[in-house]
Amino acid sequence: MKTDTSIYIHIPFCKHRCAYCDFNTYAGQEDSIPAYVNALIREIEFIGGRSGQTNIHTVFFGGGTPSLLSGPQFASLMDALRAAFTLTADAEVSIEANPGTVSPEKLTAIRKAGINRISFGVQSANMEELRMLEREHDFFTVIEAVSTARKAGFGNLNLDLIYGLPEQSLRTWQTTLQRIVELEPEHISAYALTLEHGTPFGKWSSKGLLPLSDPDLAADMYDYAEEFLKNNGYIHYEISNWALENGESGTDRLSSFSCRHNLQYWRSLPYLAFGAGAHGYASGYRYSNALRIKTYIDRLNNGQNSKLDFPLSPAAVNQHKQTRQDDISEYMLNNLRLVLAGVAESDFRSRFGSGISDIYPKEMNQLIRDGLVEKKTSENSEVFRLTKRGRLLGNQVFMQFLP
Ligand code: SF4
């Protein structure tokens, strides 16, 4: 049986560049949005024409700020996707949005275009923290955006949070979590702040201008989130992700609100990439497109006759043919992120023809001895998964499987 594929579409526009962000996104280039949408449609047609009958079961519009596009622009992109691929009847189609960029009209049009899941970048409910992150919204805007999304018919909402901020206290984090669950989202993501090289936050911290957050306090915040969200009915299914329990947990104990698109990444399954700087993994390739908006548009406008292997389009500037060892390493790094499902011996063996302990005998024994990984039996298969300590010291575990 052919595995269903996913699609990631990158929208690299933001009204303002936040000081901690290292995503491929640009402020002040909104004039290029119409040309960019046309280039995306060309890329979708180009890849779709070479993909055969590819079933797509998830689509993710990420950014950047995808909600800067208009309803009609989303409708044209969705039409292009439906013409080029077979979207499954129950496809999960997500969009990332900034709370300050949505109106009832826009959300109604986006929902009508077929987008059924929305992920709001909330980050914090505390005004000081939002200001420090240079976010342009306050928490009232979040409350309004959630209510507008509900009225527009979105039954699957994610709210994104960041913890471990400079000068953030456990108290303000607890308040943020409380306010977030009061909004009753189906899904919550919480990531620790990382100070990325090349961002203003990275520069300020290396010059001692930004107080560093205390790693012990960040660990306490993570502990608190695990406990608090569990008590409020959320299943912790991935290191940084929680989904509302809805009685539909399957064999790997996932809520049906778990993000199916991100599960595709964590299970090392194929996804096609569209847009500037987008990364894809399909047909044995990992590949990525040109970063700059103008270069991306020019390459799509000029390269329609290129003879390229599927899944590469004229926008692709990096390609890597995966070795078996690449796939095995990445499989371990990705699947270990799944808190409950972990890495199943049966799935690993059916993909790679050998057992996990045959390939990583020393590493697995050591990680189990150190209390970072545990071995359980589930559904007649052995499963390796991170312990609570392993989730806090994830990098120590992941280092063992780097190629
Ligand atoms: S809105 Fe999001 S993507 Fe845009 S700059 Fe801020 S953090 Fe980055």
Side-chain angles (χ1 to χ4, degrees), residues 24-70:
N24 184 43
T25 182
Y26 305 88
Q29 296 204 29
E30 289 92 313
D31 287 353
S32 305
I33 290 180
Y36 187 78
V37 170
N38 286 338
L40 279 175
I41 292 172
R42 280 173 192 263
E43 194 181 21
I44 291 167
E45 288 168 349
F46 185 94
I47 302 286
R50 288 159 172 76
S51 72
Q53 275 299 314
T54 300
N55 279 347
I56 302 296
H57 74 133
T58 75
V59 177
F60 196 99
F61 292 94
T65 309
S67 48
L68 288 178
L69 268 56
S70 67

Side-chain angles (χ1 to χ4, degrees), residues 14 16-18 20-21 23 25 63-65 98 135:
C14 285
H16 161 84
R17 222 175 133 75
C18 307
Y20 64 95
C21 178
F23 296 150
T25 182
T65 309
N98 274 348
R135 301 296 300 208

